[in-house]
Amino acid sequence: MRMLLVMGVGLYTSRVVLDKLGVVDYGLFNTVGGVVGMLTFLSATLSTSTSRFLTYALGAGDSGRLSYTFCTAFYSHLLLALLVAILMETGGLWFVCHKLVIPPERMYAVLWVFHISVFTTFVAITQVPYTSVIIAHENMNVYAYLGIFEAVAKLVIVYLLVISTSDRLILYAILIGVVQLLVAIFYWSYCIRHYHESFLFRRFDRSIFHQMVSFSSQSLIANVSQILSNQGIIVLINLFFQPAIVAAQAIGNQIAGALMQFVSNLQTAINPQIIKYYAAGDYADFRKLTLNSSIYVHELLLLLALPAMVVMEPLLGLWLVDVPPYAVVFTQFILLKQIFNVYSSTLYVPMIASGKLKSNSMAAVWMGIGMFAFLYLLLKLGCGVMWVQYICVIQTIIFSYIVKPYILCREIGFTWGEILANFLQCLKVSLLPVAVSAACYMLVDIHHIVFMLLTCAAICISVCVSAYITLDKAMRSKLKAFIVSRITTFK
Protein backbone atom coordinates (compact mmCIF):
# COMPACT_ATOMS: atom_id res chain seq x y z
CA MET A 1 0.00 0.00 0.00
CA ARG A 2 2.84 2.39 0.88
CA MET A 3 4.54 1.78 -2.45
CA LEU A 4 1.29 2.30 -4.37
CA LEU A 5 0.74 5.56 -2.49
CA VAL A 6 4.26 6.77 -3.23
CA MET A 7 3.91 5.85 -6.91
CA GLY A 8 0.53 7.59 -7.11
CA VAL A 9 1.91 10.75 -5.54
CA GLY A 10 4.88 10.67 -7.91
CA LEU A 11 2.68 10.38 -10.99
CA TYR A 12 0.27 13.07 -9.77
CA THR A 13 3.04 15.54 -8.99
CA SER A 14 4.68 14.90 -12.36
CA ARG A 15 1.39 15.85 -14.02
CA VAL A 16 1.23 19.15 -12.13
CA VAL A 17 4.92 19.89 -12.72
CA LEU A 18 4.51 19.36 -16.47
CA ASP A 19 1.42 21.59 -16.48
CA LYS A 20 3.03 24.42 -14.49
CA LEU A 21 6.44 24.34 -16.17
CA GLY A 22 5.07 23.76 -19.66
CA VAL A 23 6.32 21.23 -22.19
CA VAL A 24 9.37 23.30 -23.23
CA ASP A 25 10.65 24.03 -19.69
CA TYR A 26 9.97 20.44 -18.63
CA GLY A 27 12.03 19.21 -21.56
CA LEU A 28 14.82 21.68 -20.78
CA PHE A 29 14.94 20.59 -17.13
CA ASN A 30 15.35 16.95 -18.12
CA THR A 31 17.91 17.80 -20.80
CA VAL A 32 20.11 19.72 -18.36
CA GLY A 33 19.70 16.92 -15.84
CA GLY A 34 20.81 14.50 -18.55
CA VAL A 35 23.98 16.50 -19.21
CA VAL A 36 24.90 16.59 -15.53
CA GLY A 37 23.96 12.92 -15.19
CA MET A 38 26.41 11.97 -17.94
CA LEU A 39 29.25 11.95 -15.39
CA THR A 40 27.35 10.04 -12.73
CA PHE A 41 28.65 6.82 -14.30
CA LEU A 42 31.73 7.44 -12.15
CA SER A 43 29.56 7.47 -9.04
CA ALA A 44 27.60 4.44 -10.24
CA THR A 45 30.85 2.57 -10.74
CA LEU A 46 32.16 3.33 -7.24
CA SER A 47 28.70 2.70 -5.78
CA THR A 48 28.65 -0.85 -7.15
CA SER A 49 32.14 -1.41 -5.78
CA THR A 50 31.28 0.04 -2.37
CA SER A 51 28.13 -2.08 -1.97
CA ARG A 52 29.99 -5.20 -3.00
CA PHE A 53 32.94 -4.75 -0.61
CA LEU A 54 30.77 -3.68 2.36
CA THR A 55 28.42 -6.63 1.84
CA TYR A 56 31.35 -8.99 1.40
CA ALA A 57 33.02 -7.80 4.64
CA LEU A 58 29.72 -8.05 6.50
CA GLY A 59 29.10 -11.56 5.16
CA ALA A 60 32.62 -12.59 6.22
CA GLY A 61 32.08 -11.14 9.73
CA ASP A 62 35.16 -8.90 9.56
CA SER A 63 34.13 -5.75 11.50
CA GLY A 64 37.57 -4.15 11.31
CA ARG A 65 37.74 -4.41 7.55
CA LEU A 66 34.12 -3.22 7.35
CA SER A 67 35.05 0.04 9.12
CA TYR A 68 38.15 0.60 6.99
CA THR A 69 36.15 -0.13 3.83
CA PHE A 70 33.52 2.47 4.71
CA CYS A 71 36.03 5.24 5.51
CA THR A 72 37.99 4.53 2.34
CA ALA A 73 34.77 4.54 0.29
CA PHE A 74 33.60 7.85 1.78
CA TYR A 75 36.83 9.74 1.08
CA SER A 76 36.92 8.25 -2.42
CA HIS A 77 33.39 9.49 -3.11
CA LEU A 78 34.22 12.93 -1.70
CA LEU A 79 37.13 13.27 -4.11
CA LEU A 80 34.96 11.99 -6.95
CA ALA A 81 32.23 14.53 -6.14
CA LEU A 82 34.77 17.36 -6.32
CA LEU A 83 36.07 16.04 -9.65
CA VAL A 84 32.57 15.80 -11.14
CA ALA A 85 31.70 19.33 -9.97
CA ILE A 86 34.86 20.76 -11.58
CA LEU A 87 34.31 18.93 -14.86
CA MET A 88 30.65 19.97 -15.00
CA GLU A 89 31.36 23.63 -14.27
CA THR A 90 33.89 23.75 -17.10
CA GLY A 91 33.24 21.31 -19.94
CA GLY A 92 29.59 20.69 -19.03
CA LEU A 93 28.83 24.41 -18.90
CA TRP A 94 30.39 24.91 -22.34
CA PHE A 95 28.27 22.05 -23.76
CA VAL A 96 25.05 23.52 -22.36
CA CYS A 97 25.77 26.99 -23.70
CA HIS A 98 26.99 26.02 -27.17
CA LYS A 99 25.52 22.63 -28.16
CA LEU A 100 22.07 22.13 -26.67
CA VAL A 101 18.89 23.37 -28.37
CA ILE A 102 17.74 26.07 -25.90
CA PRO A 103 15.44 29.02 -26.61
CA PRO A 104 17.53 32.19 -26.05
CA GLU A 105 15.00 33.67 -23.62
CA ARG A 106 15.33 30.60 -21.34
CA MET A 107 19.14 30.49 -21.19
CA TYR A 108 19.28 32.38 -17.88
CA ALA A 109 16.90 29.92 -16.20
CA VAL A 110 18.70 26.94 -17.74
CA LEU A 111 22.02 28.10 -16.26
CA TRP A 112 20.39 28.30 -12.83
CA VAL A 113 19.11 24.75 -13.29
CA PHE A 114 22.54 23.59 -14.40
CA HIS A 115 24.41 24.96 -11.37
CA ILE A 116 21.80 23.62 -8.94
CA SER A 117 21.94 20.22 -10.64
CA VAL A 118 25.73 20.16 -10.17
CA PHE A 119 25.24 20.86 -6.44
CA THR A 120 22.57 18.16 -6.20
CA THR A 121 24.86 15.66 -7.92
CA PHE A 122 27.69 16.53 -5.50
CA VAL A 123 25.42 15.77 -2.54
CA ALA A 124 24.11 12.55 -4.11
CA ILE A 125 27.63 11.20 -4.74
CA THR A 126 28.77 11.78 -1.14
CA GLN A 127 25.62 10.03 0.06
CA VAL A 128 26.45 6.74 -1.73
CA PRO A 129 28.56 5.07 1.03
CA TYR A 130 25.75 5.58 3.54
CA THR A 131 23.07 4.04 1.33
CA SER A 132 25.48 1.17 0.63
CA VAL A 133 25.79 0.49 4.37
CA ILE A 134 22.01 0.32 4.75
CA ILE A 135 21.71 -2.05 1.78
CA ALA A 136 24.52 -4.25 3.12
CA HIS A 137 22.65 -4.57 6.43
CA GLU A 138 19.42 -5.29 4.50
CA ASN A 139 17.56 -2.67 6.54
CA MET A 140 14.81 -1.99 4.01
CA ASN A 141 12.47 -0.26 6.46
CA VAL A 142 14.59 2.86 6.05
CA TYR A 143 13.43 3.10 2.45
CA ALA A 144 9.80 2.95 3.61
CA TYR A 145 10.22 6.01 5.83
CA LEU A 146 12.23 7.82 3.21
CA GLY A 147 9.64 7.02 0.53
CA ILE A 148 6.92 8.64 2.64
CA PHE A 149 9.08 11.73 3.19
CA GLU A 150 9.83 12.08 -0.51
CA ALA A 151 6.13 11.73 -1.35
CA VAL A 152 5.24 14.53 1.08
CA ALA A 153 8.12 16.64 -0.26
CA LYS A 154 6.83 16.25 -3.82
CA LEU A 155 3.39 17.47 -2.76
CA VAL A 156 4.97 20.50 -1.07
CA ILE A 157 6.98 21.25 -4.22
CA VAL A 158 3.84 21.06 -6.35
CA TYR A 159 1.96 23.39 -4.00
CA LEU A 160 4.77 25.95 -4.10
CA LEU A 161 4.88 25.77 -7.90
CA VAL A 162 1.14 26.38 -8.09
CA ILE A 163 1.18 29.50 -5.88
CA SER A 164 4.52 30.88 -7.13
CA THR A 165 4.69 33.95 -9.37
CA SER A 166 8.47 33.71 -9.94
CA ASP A 167 10.30 31.71 -12.61
CA ARG A 168 8.96 28.22 -11.94
CA LEU A 169 11.81 26.41 -13.69
CA ILE A 170 14.37 27.97 -11.34
CA LEU A 171 12.14 27.43 -8.31
CA TYR A 172 11.61 23.78 -9.21
CA ALA A 173 15.35 23.17 -9.50
CA ILE A 174 15.98 24.83 -6.11
CA LEU A 175 13.29 22.78 -4.39
CA ILE A 176 14.60 19.52 -5.87
CA GLY A 177 18.07 20.44 -4.58
CA VAL A 178 16.73 21.11 -1.09
CA VAL A 179 14.93 17.75 -0.98
CA GLN A 180 18.09 15.93 -2.11
CA LEU A 181 20.06 17.66 0.65
CA LEU A 182 17.48 16.70 3.30
CA VAL A 183 17.52 13.07 2.11
CA ALA A 184 21.32 13.00 2.34
CA ILE A 185 21.22 14.45 5.87
CA PHE A 186 18.73 11.74 6.86
CA TYR A 187 21.03 8.99 5.55
CA TRP A 188 24.08 10.48 7.25
CA SER A 189 22.38 10.84 10.64
CA TYR A 190 20.69 7.42 10.51
CA CYS A 191 23.87 5.53 9.66
CA ILE A 192 25.92 7.33 12.30
CA ARG A 193 23.33 6.44 14.97
CA HIS A 194 22.89 2.78 13.99
CA TYR A 195 26.08 1.46 12.35
CA HIS A 196 29.44 1.78 14.05
CA GLU A 197 31.38 1.41 10.80
CA SER A 198 29.90 4.67 9.48
CA PHE A 199 31.84 6.76 12.00
CA LEU A 200 34.48 8.65 10.06
CA PHE A 201 38.11 8.44 11.13
CA ARG A 202 41.32 9.24 9.34
CA ARG A 203 41.33 5.81 7.81
CA PHE A 204 42.20 5.54 4.17
CA ASP A 205 43.38 2.03 3.44
CA ARG A 206 45.35 2.05 0.20
CA SER A 207 45.04 -1.69 -0.17
CA ILE A 208 41.24 -1.55 0.01
CA PHE A 209 41.22 1.51 -2.26
CA HIS A 210 43.30 -0.27 -4.91
CA GLN A 211 40.99 -3.31 -4.73
CA MET A 212 37.93 -1.08 -5.11
CA VAL A 213 39.48 0.82 -8.01
CA SER A 214 40.54 -2.42 -9.68
CA PHE A 215 37.02 -3.78 -9.27
CA SER A 216 35.48 -0.48 -10.41
CA SER A 217 37.65 -0.25 -13.50
CA GLN A 218 36.09 -3.47 -14.77
CA SER A 219 32.55 -2.05 -14.50
CA LEU A 220 33.47 1.48 -15.61
CA ILE A 221 32.72 0.93 -19.30
CA ALA A 222 29.52 -0.93 -18.49
CA ASN A 223 28.29 2.07 -16.50
CA VAL A 224 29.31 4.44 -19.31
CA SER A 225 27.06 2.51 -21.68
CA GLN A 226 24.23 2.54 -19.12
CA ILE A 227 24.43 6.32 -18.79
CA LEU A 228 24.49 6.72 -22.58
CA SER A 229 21.33 4.62 -22.89
CA ASN A 230 19.49 6.77 -20.32
CA GLN A 231 20.70 10.38 -19.92
CA GLY A 232 22.59 10.14 -23.20
CA ILE A 233 19.42 9.37 -25.14
CA ILE A 234 17.73 12.51 -23.77
CA VAL A 235 20.71 14.65 -24.77
CA LEU A 236 20.82 12.98 -28.19
CA ILE A 237 17.13 13.73 -28.81
CA ASN A 238 17.70 17.36 -27.83
CA LEU A 239 20.52 17.68 -30.35
CA PHE A 240 18.22 16.76 -33.27
CA PHE A 241 14.68 17.58 -32.11
CA GLN A 242 12.72 20.18 -30.17
CA PRO A 243 12.41 20.24 -26.33
CA ALA A 244 8.81 18.95 -26.62
CA ILE A 245 10.14 15.61 -27.92
CA VAL A 246 12.56 15.52 -24.99
CA ALA A 247 9.57 16.01 -22.68
CA ALA A 248 7.91 12.93 -24.24
CA GLN A 249 11.01 10.83 -23.49
CA ALA A 250 11.16 12.25 -19.96
CA ILE A 251 7.50 11.35 -19.35
CA GLY A 252 8.19 7.79 -20.52
CA ASN A 253 11.18 7.57 -18.19
CA GLN A 254 9.05 8.96 -15.35
CA ILE A 255 6.37 6.30 -15.73
CA ALA A 256 8.92 3.51 -16.21
CA GLY A 257 10.81 4.76 -13.16
CA ALA A 258 7.67 4.69 -11.04
CA LEU A 259 6.89 1.11 -12.02
CA MET A 260 10.52 0.00 -11.75
CA GLN A 261 10.58 1.27 -8.17
CA PHE A 262 8.71 -1.89 -7.18
CA VAL A 263 11.20 -4.06 -9.04
CA SER A 264 14.18 -2.14 -7.66
CA ASN A 265 12.96 -2.58 -4.09
CA LEU A 266 12.59 -6.30 -4.72
CA GLN A 267 16.08 -6.58 -6.24
CA THR A 268 17.61 -4.43 -3.50
CA ALA A 269 16.25 -6.91 -0.96
CA ILE A 270 17.54 -9.98 -2.83
CA ASN A 271 20.97 -8.85 -4.06
CA PRO A 272 22.84 -8.75 -0.71
CA GLN A 273 21.79 -12.33 -0.01
CA ILE A 274 23.13 -13.49 -3.38
CA ILE A 275 26.48 -11.83 -2.64
CA LYS A 276 26.57 -13.34 0.86
CA TYR A 277 25.95 -16.84 -0.54
CA TYR A 278 28.92 -16.38 -2.84
CA ALA A 279 31.12 -14.96 -0.05
CA ALA A 280 30.27 -17.99 2.12
CA GLY A 281 31.10 -20.42 -0.71
CA ASP A 282 27.51 -21.66 -1.00
CA TYR A 283 27.55 -21.71 -4.80
CA ALA A 284 24.49 -23.95 -5.29
CA ASP A 285 22.19 -21.58 -3.39
CA PHE A 286 23.98 -18.66 -5.08
CA ARG A 287 22.97 -19.90 -8.54
CA LYS A 288 19.50 -21.01 -7.44
CA LEU A 289 18.60 -17.64 -5.86
CA THR A 290 19.92 -15.76 -8.89
CA LEU A 291 17.73 -17.71 -11.32
CA ASN A 292 14.68 -17.75 -9.04
CA SER A 293 14.91 -13.99 -8.52
CA SER A 294 14.86 -13.46 -12.29
CA ILE A 295 11.46 -15.18 -12.38
CA TYR A 296 10.18 -13.13 -9.44
CA VAL A 297 11.09 -9.79 -10.99
CA HIS A 298 9.86 -10.86 -14.43
CA GLU A 299 6.45 -11.75 -12.97
CA LEU A 300 6.25 -8.49 -11.07
CA LEU A 301 7.12 -6.36 -14.08
CA LEU A 302 4.59 -8.16 -16.28
CA LEU A 303 1.96 -7.47 -13.64
CA LEU A 304 2.79 -3.74 -13.68
CA ALA A 305 3.90 -2.98 -17.23
CA LEU A 306 1.50 -4.90 -19.48
CA PRO A 307 -1.70 -3.16 -18.27
CA ALA A 308 0.03 0.22 -18.48
CA MET A 309 1.21 -0.43 -22.04
CA VAL A 310 -2.26 -1.43 -23.26
CA VAL A 311 -4.12 1.55 -21.77
CA MET A 312 -1.30 4.08 -22.17
CA GLU A 313 -3.15 6.43 -24.54
CA PRO A 314 -6.24 7.03 -22.36
CA LEU A 315 -4.07 6.86 -19.24
CA LEU A 316 -1.87 9.75 -20.39
CA GLY A 317 -4.98 11.63 -21.51
CA LEU A 318 -6.36 11.39 -17.97
CA TRP A 319 -3.02 12.04 -16.29
CA LEU A 320 -1.64 14.98 -18.28
CA VAL A 321 -3.25 18.28 -19.13
CA ASP A 322 -1.23 18.52 -22.36
CA VAL A 323 0.16 15.26 -23.78
CA PRO A 324 3.40 15.94 -25.73
CA PRO A 325 3.77 14.36 -29.19
CA TYR A 326 5.21 10.83 -29.14
CA ALA A 327 4.61 10.51 -25.38
CA VAL A 328 2.31 7.47 -25.72
CA VAL A 329 4.44 5.41 -28.07
CA PHE A 330 7.71 6.42 -26.34
CA THR A 331 6.36 5.24 -22.99
CA GLN A 332 5.14 1.93 -24.44
CA PHE A 333 8.54 1.21 -25.96
CA ILE A 334 10.39 2.23 -22.79
CA LEU A 335 8.26 -0.18 -20.74
CA LEU A 336 8.85 -2.93 -23.31
CA LYS A 337 12.58 -2.31 -23.01
CA GLN A 338 12.35 -2.57 -19.21
CA ILE A 339 10.59 -5.95 -19.44
CA PHE A 340 13.57 -7.31 -21.38
CA ASN A 341 16.18 -5.38 -19.41
CA VAL A 342 15.10 -6.70 -16.03
CA TYR A 343 16.68 -10.06 -16.91
CA SER A 344 19.98 -8.35 -17.65
CA SER A 345 20.00 -6.52 -14.31
CA THR A 346 19.30 -9.77 -12.45
CA LEU A 347 22.16 -11.60 -14.14
CA TYR A 348 24.56 -8.76 -13.36
CA VAL A 349 24.49 -9.52 -9.61
CA PRO A 350 26.53 -12.79 -9.87
CA MET A 351 29.20 -10.84 -11.74
CA ILE A 352 29.36 -8.31 -8.91
CA ALA A 353 29.52 -11.08 -6.30
CA SER A 354 32.36 -12.90 -8.07
CA GLY A 355 34.20 -9.73 -9.12
CA LYS A 356 34.32 -10.99 -12.72
CA LEU A 357 33.18 -7.90 -14.62
CA LYS A 358 35.77 -7.56 -17.38
CA SER A 359 33.91 -9.50 -20.08
CA ASN A 360 30.65 -7.75 -19.31
CA SER A 361 32.40 -4.38 -19.53
CA MET A 362 33.95 -5.20 -22.89
CA ALA A 363 30.57 -6.34 -24.20
CA ALA A 364 29.11 -3.04 -23.00
CA VAL A 365 31.55 -1.18 -25.23
CA TRP A 366 29.99 -2.69 -28.33
CA MET A 367 26.40 -2.85 -27.14
CA GLY A 368 26.18 0.48 -25.29
CA ILE A 369 28.60 2.95 -26.81
CA GLY A 370 28.17 1.30 -30.20
CA MET A 371 24.38 1.76 -29.98
CA PHE A 372 24.76 5.45 -29.10
CA ALA A 373 27.15 6.06 -32.01
CA PHE A 374 24.86 4.17 -34.41
CA LEU A 375 21.84 6.18 -33.30
CA TYR A 376 23.75 9.44 -33.75
CA LEU A 377 24.61 8.39 -37.30
CA LEU A 378 20.99 7.44 -38.09
CA LEU A 379 19.63 10.75 -36.81
CA LYS A 380 22.36 12.64 -38.65
CA LEU A 381 21.21 10.93 -41.85
CA GLY A 382 17.65 12.15 -41.23
CA CYS A 383 15.95 9.09 -39.69
CA GLY A 384 12.90 9.70 -37.51
CA VAL A 385 12.96 9.83 -33.73
CA MET A 386 11.23 6.42 -33.41
CA TRP A 387 14.47 4.77 -34.49
CA VAL A 388 15.78 5.64 -31.03
CA GLN A 389 13.16 3.37 -29.46
CA TYR A 390 13.57 0.55 -32.02
CA ILE A 391 17.34 0.32 -31.59
CA CYS A 392 17.15 0.54 -27.79
CA VAL A 393 14.76 -2.42 -27.58
CA ILE A 394 16.81 -4.55 -30.02
CA GLN A 395 20.03 -3.79 -28.14
CA THR A 396 18.43 -4.73 -24.81
CA ILE A 397 17.16 -8.09 -26.12
CA ILE A 398 20.57 -9.07 -27.50
CA PHE A 399 22.43 -8.03 -24.36
CA SER A 400 19.97 -9.60 -21.89
CA TYR A 401 19.31 -12.94 -23.57
CA ILE A 402 22.54 -13.70 -25.42
CA VAL A 403 25.53 -11.78 -24.06
CA LYS A 404 24.87 -11.95 -20.30
CA PRO A 405 24.01 -15.70 -20.22
CA TYR A 406 27.09 -16.50 -22.31
CA ILE A 407 29.33 -14.69 -19.79
CA LEU A 408 27.66 -16.39 -16.81
CA CYS A 409 28.16 -19.84 -18.31
CA ARG A 410 31.74 -19.23 -19.40
CA GLU A 411 33.08 -17.53 -16.27
CA ILE A 412 30.83 -17.98 -13.22
CA GLY A 413 29.81 -21.63 -13.27
CA PHE A 414 26.27 -21.47 -14.59
CA THR A 415 25.20 -24.02 -17.20
CA TRP A 416 23.29 -23.44 -20.42
CA GLY A 417 20.80 -26.06 -19.28
CA GLU A 418 19.69 -24.12 -16.21
CA ILE A 419 19.79 -20.81 -18.12
CA LEU A 420 17.59 -22.17 -20.93
CA ALA A 421 15.22 -23.76 -18.41
CA ASN A 422 14.93 -20.37 -16.76
CA PHE A 423 14.26 -18.69 -20.15
CA LEU A 424 11.55 -21.24 -20.86
CA GLN A 425 9.93 -20.66 -17.48
CA CYS A 426 9.78 -16.89 -18.08
CA LEU A 427 8.40 -17.49 -21.59
CA LYS A 428 5.64 -19.83 -20.35
CA VAL A 429 4.64 -17.31 -17.71
CA SER A 430 4.44 -14.57 -20.38
CA LEU A 431 2.33 -16.32 -23.03
CA LEU A 432 -1.14 -15.96 -21.50
CA PRO A 433 -0.72 -12.34 -20.27
CA VAL A 434 0.67 -11.24 -23.65
CA ALA A 435 -2.21 -12.93 -25.50
CA VAL A 436 -4.80 -11.33 -23.20
CA SER A 437 -3.09 -7.93 -23.56
CA ALA A 438 -3.08 -8.15 -27.38
CA ALA A 439 -6.75 -9.18 -27.45
CA CYS A 440 -7.77 -6.33 -25.15
CA TYR A 441 -5.77 -3.80 -27.18
CA MET A 442 -7.41 -4.84 -30.47
CA LEU A 443 -10.97 -5.66 -29.35
CA VAL A 444 -11.81 -3.48 -26.33
CA ASP A 445 -12.66 0.23 -26.35
CA ILE A 446 -9.98 1.17 -23.83
CA HIS A 447 -10.91 4.87 -24.04
CA HIS A 448 -14.01 4.19 -21.94
CA ILE A 449 -13.04 4.40 -18.26
CA VAL A 450 -14.96 1.26 -17.24
CA PHE A 451 -13.49 -0.85 -20.04
CA MET A 452 -10.05 0.56 -19.30
CA LEU A 453 -10.26 -0.59 -15.68
CA LEU A 454 -11.66 -3.99 -16.71
CA THR A 455 -8.83 -4.40 -19.20
CA CYS A 456 -6.21 -3.71 -16.51
CA ALA A 457 -7.93 -6.16 -14.16
CA ALA A 458 -8.09 -8.86 -16.85
CA ILE A 459 -4.39 -8.55 -17.66
CA CYS A 460 -3.38 -8.62 -13.98
CA ILE A 461 -5.52 -11.70 -13.38
CA SER A 462 -3.99 -13.39 -16.44
CA VAL A 463 -0.49 -12.81 -15.04
CA CYS A 464 -1.45 -14.36 -11.70
CA VAL A 465 -3.24 -17.30 -13.33
CA SER A 466 -0.32 -17.91 -15.67
CA ALA A 467 2.12 -17.93 -12.77
CA TYR A 468 -0.05 -20.38 -10.85
CA ILE A 469 -0.41 -22.73 -13.83
CA THR A 470 3.14 -22.68 -15.18
CA LEU A 471 5.19 -22.59 -11.98
CA ASP A 472 5.66 -25.88 -10.18
CA LYS A 473 4.45 -26.38 -6.62
CA ALA A 474 7.86 -25.75 -5.05
CA MET A 475 8.34 -22.52 -6.99
CA ARG A 476 4.82 -21.33 -6.12
CA SER A 477 5.50 -21.96 -2.43
CA LYS A 478 8.79 -20.07 -2.58
CA LEU A 479 7.22 -17.19 -4.48
CA LYS A 480 4.32 -16.97 -2.02
CA ALA A 481 6.68 -17.02 0.98
CA PHE A 482 8.90 -14.41 -0.63
CA ILE A 483 6.00 -12.05 -1.41
CA VAL A 484 4.67 -12.36 2.14
CA SER A 485 8.12 -11.58 3.56
CA ARG A 486 8.49 -8.54 1.30
CA ILE A 487 5.04 -7.25 2.24
CA THR A 488 5.95 -7.64 5.90
CA THR A 489 9.22 -5.77 5.31
CA PHE A 490 7.85 -2.89 3.24
CA LYS A 491 4.40 -2.36 4.72
Side-chain angles (χ1 to χ4, degrees):
M1 181 61 68
R2 177 194 63 81
M3 293 174 64
L4 287 173
L5 178 64
V6 170
M7 183 181 73
V9 170
L11 293 176
Y12 167 75
T13 54
S14 297
R15 174 187 187 273
V16 180
V17 168
L18 176 60
D19 180 41
K20 296 305 174 184
L21 292 185
V23 172
V24 173
D25 276 3
Y26 189 77
L28 291 174
F29 180 84
N30 283 277
T31 299
V32 173
V35 172
V36 176
M38 294 287 280
L39 278 184
T40 58
F41 72 89
L42 296 170
S43 175
T45 302
L46 268 182
S47 174
T48 301
S49 176
T50 300
S51 295
R52 189 262 183 185
F53 278 89
L54 287 173
T55 304
Y56 208 98
L58 193 62
D62 191 340
S63 59
R65 186 173 182 83
L66 184 63
S67 181
Y68 274 97
T69 300
F70 177 84
C71 291
T72 302
F74 175 80
Y75 292 124
S76 300
H77 280 83
L78 182 61
L79 291 173
L80 175 62
L82 291 171
L83 175 63
V84 168
I86 293 171
L87 291 175
M88 279 292 100
E89 290 292 349
T90 52
L93 185 59
W94 173 86
F95 185 81
V96 168
C97 293
H98 295 90
K99 294 297 180 181
L100 293 184
V101 179
I102 300 173
E105 68 275 9
R106 300 305 292 150
M107 181 59 75
Y108 175 76
V110 165
L111 291 178
W112 264 92
V113 172
F114 176 79
H115 295 307
I116 295 170
S117 297
V118 172
F119 167 76
T120 303
T121 301
F122 179 91
V123 173
I125 292 175
T126 58
Q127 170 190 313
V128 167
Y130 295 92
T131 57
S132 297
V133 166
I134 292 173
I135 292 173
H137 284 274
E138 301 184 63
N139 189 357
M140 303 309 162
N141 287 328
V142 174
Y143 291 97
Y145 300 131
L146 199 59
I148 295 172
F149 167 76
E150 289 180 330
V152 173
K154 287 177 181 178
L155 291 174
V156 173
I157 289 174
V158 163
Y159 174 73
L160 293 175
L161 283 180
V162 170
I163 66 173
S164 174
T165 56
S166 61
D167 191 307
R168 288 182 171 134
L169 180 57
I170 296 175
L171 176 63
Y172 183 61
I174 292 173
L175 293 174
I176 291 294
V178 170
V179 170
Q180 179 64 57
L181 181 60
L182 292 176
V183 169
I185 292 173
F186 172 83
Y187 277 121
W188 298 336
S189 59
Y190 183 88
C191 288
I192 289 172
R193 286 199 309 268
H194 291 84
Y195 305 121
H196 67 87
E197 66 268 20
S198 61
F199 284 93
L200 286 175
F201 301 97
R202 293 183 179 179
R203 297 175 177 173
F204 189 87
D205 192 301
R206 293 185 177 181
S207 173
I208 294 176
F209 176 73
H210 289 155
Q211 291 178 43
M212 292 177 67
V213 170
S214 176
F215 181 88
S216 298
S217 64
Q218 298 181 53
S219 61
L220 178 63
I221 298 176
N223 281 309
V224 171
S225 67
Q226 184 67 26
I227 290 297
L228 287 176
S229 65
N230 292 318
Q231 286 90 345
I233 291 298
I234 287 182
V235 174
L236 188 64
I237 292 174
N238 177 269
L239 292 176
F240 292 94
F241 304 97
Q242 294 300 312
I245 307 300
V246 177
Q249 180 74 16
I251 288 169
N253 289 340
Q254 175 79 23
I255 294 175
L259 297 183
M260 287 301 295
Q261 199 57 40
F262 289 85
V263 177
S264 297
N265 285 336
L266 179 60
Q267 290 179 311
T268 300
I270 296 174
N271 294 350
Q273 191 59 51
I274 294 175
I275 296 174
K276 289 175 182 177
Y277 276 144
Y278 188 89
D282 191 351
Y283 300 122
D285 284 337
F286 160 74
R287 294 195 305 274
K288 183 183 297 184
L289 182 57
T290 298
L291 296 175
N292 286 345
S293 67
S294 70
I295 298 175
Y296 300 158
V297 296
H298 181 74
E299 282 277 359
L300 180 58
L301 196 53
L302 285 180
L303 187 68
L304 298 171
L306 283 180
M309 291 171 66
V310 172
V311 301
M312 187 56 62
E313 185 176 353
L315 185 64
L316 287 185
L318 291 172
W319 176 39
L320 301 177
V321 177
D322 182 19
V323 181
Y326 291 99
V328 173
V329 66
F330 275 17
T331 306
Q332 290 171 329
F333 269 89
I334 291 171
L335 290 178
L336 179 63
K337 173 189 170 184
Q338 291 297 341
I339 291 175
F340 293 123
N341 188 61
V342 75
Y343 204 84
S344 174
S345 62
T346 303
L347 298 187
Y348 188 58
V349 181
M351 300 177 188
I352 296 173
S354 63
K356 298 177 180 178
L357 300 173
K358 184 177 180 180
S359 296
N360 183 77
S361 298
M362 294 306 298
V365 174
W366 297 101
M367 301 301 296
I369 300 177
M371 179 199 71
F372 186 83
F374 183 60
L375 279 175
Y376 181 87
L377 178 62
L378 287 179
L379 297 180
K380 195 74 173 176
L381 294 174
C383 293
V385 70
M386 282 306 303
W387 277 96
V388 174
Q389 309 302 332
Y390 302 150
I391 299 301
C392 284
V393 170
I394 293 172
Q395 182 263 350
T396 301
I397 292 173
I398 295 173
F399 198 62
S400 299
Y401 293 92
I402 298 176
V403 176
K404 282 285 181 69
Y406 173 75
I407 295 173
L408 284 181
C409 293
R410 191 182 69 174
E411 299 185 1
I412 309 181
F414 286 75
T415 65
W416 273 109
E418 59 190 3
I419 292 287
L420 292 175
N422 192 256
F423 281 169
L424 183 60
Q425 193 68 62
C426 291
L427 179 61
K428 289 192 296 184
V429 167
S430 304
L431 289 177
L432 178 61
V434 169
V436 172
S437 300
C440 290
Y441 187 79
M442 292 185 293
L443 302 176
V444 178
D445 181 13
I446 57 175
H447 293 84
H448 192 285
I449 184 65
V450 175
F451 290 135
M452 183 178 76
L453 294 175
L454 289 175
T455 296
C456 292
I459 297 172
C460 290
I461 291 172
S462 71
V463 173
C464 297
V465 170
S466 178
Y468 185 83
I469 293 174
T470 58
L471 297 179
D472 58 37
K473 184 176 180 180
M475 180 64 74
R476 288 199 300 268
S477 299
K478 290 179 181 178
L479 183 58
K480 180 180 178 181
F482 187 85
I483 291 174
V484 170
S485 68
R486 289 303 103 198
I487 292 175
T488 303
T489 302
F490 288 107
K491 66 181 179 178

